């Protein structure tokens, strides 16, 4: 029990920035749900992104957290877009057991034009390109990468395609982002971000029940295909979630899961905290600089100093040019 008298399964027990694994035995469903608050604020605040870009980064962070916390080994999950839209790069990574970081790159002029034309949904901001899911298990293990096209779909839909192609597990993903305007303890206006999400997967005992219809445009389409009744029911339930429910702090993760699945017997497991933590360090960046040529180091130096700023956490490291020697 916590100091507030709450225990596992009680409403508001997990709170913000904690992923809640769950199981619905009556539907053969397992999944994870989360609401992000202060952790997401910290990531977005340091970059001061335009609102549409901040929302896109927030969605990517939620998706990364939901998938990254499922890793059963020491490693890293990286989700990255590469596209031709106003926001040509978004990357978020989760390093086990609990570290999250993210950033985006965008073209200010192209973004301004998109905003003027009301084209601010993720699919508009990203344009054509790919979304890569990379699992890195360390220096002595081969990386696994799954790539799906950015074909005008939402991140929710793209994540569903990834699971169908790579893991062949029926999966439903829901993501939501909210911008909150309230007042702090001194009565001053305050801007905050919240985001939430859920991933639900159909994991019956028999593999045959996990069969799915072909993706649109696939060969050998079976018009007589029928989705398993339990997965059909679970999918409909998850789809009914409103974005406001995913982000509303008065609802909370356990309450939302109860609303959806209590008639089918939902069970929650201990929550897993996630933190805004960057993996950069002075030592790592010194090694990067040491891989450059002397000409590159001399060109980068100003007044005898070489400055490097981490794109993720915006921390600037300064080195004496004389202490950075090419290998």
């Amino acid at each position: 029990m916590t100091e507030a008298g709450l225990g596992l399964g009680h409403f508001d027990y997990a709170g913000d920035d904690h992923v809640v694994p769950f199981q619905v035995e009556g539907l053969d469903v397992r999944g994870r749900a989360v609401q992000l608050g202060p952790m997401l604020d910290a990531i977005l605040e340091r970059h001061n992104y335009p609102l549409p870009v901040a929302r896109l980064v927030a969605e990517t962070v939620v998706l990364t957290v939901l998938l990254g916390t499922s890793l059963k080994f020491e490693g890293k999950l990286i989700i990255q877009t590469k596209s031709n839209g106003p926001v040509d790069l978004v990357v978020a990574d989760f390093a086990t057991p609990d570290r999250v970081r993210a950033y985006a790159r965008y073209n200010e002029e192209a973004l301004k034009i998109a905003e003027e034309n009301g084209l601010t949904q993720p699919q508009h901001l990203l344009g054509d390109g790919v979304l890569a899911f990379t699992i890195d298990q360390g220096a002595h293990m081969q990386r696994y990468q799954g790539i799906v096209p950015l074909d005008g779909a939402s991140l929710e839909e793209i994540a569903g395609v990834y699971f169908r192609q790579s893991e062949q597990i029926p999966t439903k993903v829901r993501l939501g982002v909210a911008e909150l305007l309230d007042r702090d303890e001194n009565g001053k206006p305050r801007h905050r971000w919240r985001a939430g999400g859920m991933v639900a997967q159909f994991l019956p005992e028999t593999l045959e029940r996990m069969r799915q219809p072909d993706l649109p445009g696939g060969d050998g389409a079976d018009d007589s295909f029928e989705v398993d009744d339990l997965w059909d029911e679970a999918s409909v339930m998850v789809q009914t979630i409103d974005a406001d429910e995913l982000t509303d702090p008065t609802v909370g993760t356990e309450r939302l899961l109860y609303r959806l699945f209590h008639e089918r017997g939902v069970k929650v497991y201990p929550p897993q905290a996630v933190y805004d933590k960057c993996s950069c360090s002075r030592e790592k960046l010194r090694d990067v600089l040491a891989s450059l040529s002397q000409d590159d180091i001399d060109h980068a130096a100003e007044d005898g100093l070489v400055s490097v700023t981490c794109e993720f956490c915006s921390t600037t490291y300064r080195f004496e040019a004389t202490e950075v020697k090419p290998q």
Side-chain angles (χ1 to χ4, degrees):
M1 302 288 281
T2 64
E3 292 182 3
L6 298 177
L8 181 63
H10 285 76
F11 296 151
D12 304 323
Y13 174 71
D16 288 341
D17 304 338
H18 287 76
V19 178
V20 178
F22 68 89
Q23 178 180 4
V24 188
E25 293 184 356
L27 295 174
D28 290 333
V29 164
R30 288 180 177 269
R32 292 172 299 283
V34 70
Q35 284 195 350
L36 300 180
M39 188 270 290
L40 182 64
D41 259 342
I43 290 175
L44 297 179
E45 183 179 0
R46 69 170 61 96
H47 292 287
N48 194 28
Y49 292 121
L51 295 183
V53 180
R55 295 182 68 89
L56 180 57
V57 173
E59 278 199 11
T60 308
V61 169
V62 175
L63 181 59
T64 303
V65 165
L66 287 171
L67 304 189
T69 50
S70 69
L71 298 180
K72 305 302 182 184
F73 50 82
E74 184 176 346
K76 180 181 291 187
L77 169 73
I78 306 164
I79 295 182
Q80 178 176 326
T81 69
K82 186 176 182 181
S83 60
N84 63 359
V87 184
D88 66 329
L89 177 71
V90 181
V91 58
D93 67 48
F94 178 92
T96 57
D98 54 19
R99 297 183 299 173
V100 185
R101 61 180 190 168
Y103 82 94
R105 186 176 64 201
Y106 62 95
N107 181 292
E108 292 187 10
E109 185 61 30
L111 179 63
K112 180 180 179 181
I113 294 173
E115 290 183 285
E116 290 173 350
N117 289 279
L119 302 176
T120 57
Q121 294 301 309
Q123 53 266 42
H124 302 140
L125 298 177
L126 294 172
D128 296 326
V130 296
L131 179 65
F133 297 78
T134 304
I135 296 176
D136 186 349
Q137 300 183 58
H140 303 293
M141 297 291 289
Q142 185 175 0
R143 279 189 169 195
Y144 166 80
Q145 187 172 75
I147 297 177
V148 291
L150 294 169
D151 55 2
S154 66
L155 285 181
E156 290 179 355
E157 295 168 320
I158 294 169
V161 172
Y162 163 74
F163 276 105
R164 177 174 295 189
Q165 291 181 346
S166 64
E167 299 188 14
Q168 299 181 346
I169 298 175
T171 302
K172 200 73 174 178
V173 178
R174 297 287 282 135
L175 305 172
V177 178
E179 178 190 7
L180 301 184
L181 300 174
D182 59 10
R183 295 183 181 276
D184 62 19
E185 59 275 7
N186 298 317
K188 295 182 179 180
R190 177 177 58 179
H191 175 275
R192 292 187 297 154
W193 286 100
R194 292 189 62 80
M198 178 184 297
V199 56
Q201 296 187 300
F202 186 49
L203 296 167
E205 293 183 1
T206 60
L207 295 178
E208 176 62 23
R209 292 178 59 203
M210 293 173 62
R211 288 182 61 241
Q212 300 179 84
D214 289 334
L215 289 166
D219 295 331
D222 183 1
D223 294 335
S224 64
F225 182 89
E226 293 185 6
V227 177
D228 187 278
D229 289 343
L230 291 185
W231 177 238
D232 189 41
E233 180 181 342
S235 297
V236 171
M237 287 181 175
V238 174
Q239 194 60 42
T240 63
I241 302 174
D242 189 84
D244 291 341
E245 291 181 288
L246 288 169
T247 59
D248 189 344
T250 66
V251 174
T253 305
E254 295 92 349
R255 191 183 302 271
L256 177 58
L257 290 170
Y258 180 80
R259 284 182 180 180
L260 283 177
F261 301 121
H262 71 279
E263 293 183 355
R264 285 295 199 168
V266 61
K267 179 181 180 180
V268 299
Y269 296 92
Q272 178 179 344
V274 290
Y275 302 96
D276 163 40
K277 289 183 179 179
C278 191
S279 59
C280 72
S281 69
R282 185 175 182 84
E283 291 72 22
K284 288 181 180 180
L285 290 175
R286 183 189 289 115
D287 290 342
V288 172
L289 291 174
S291 68
L292 302 178
S293 68
Q294 187 62 55
D295 286 343
D296 288 335
I297 294 174
D298 292 341
H299 182 73
E302 185 174 344
D303 296 329
L305 293 176
V306 178
S307 298
V308 181
T309 299
C310 175
E311 293 177 305
F312 285 97
C313 67
S314 299
T315 300
T316 298
Y317 297 86
R318 293 180 174 82
F319 302 87
E320 295 283 348
T322 54
E323 71 176 299
V324 183
K325 298 181 180 180
Q327 296 177 345

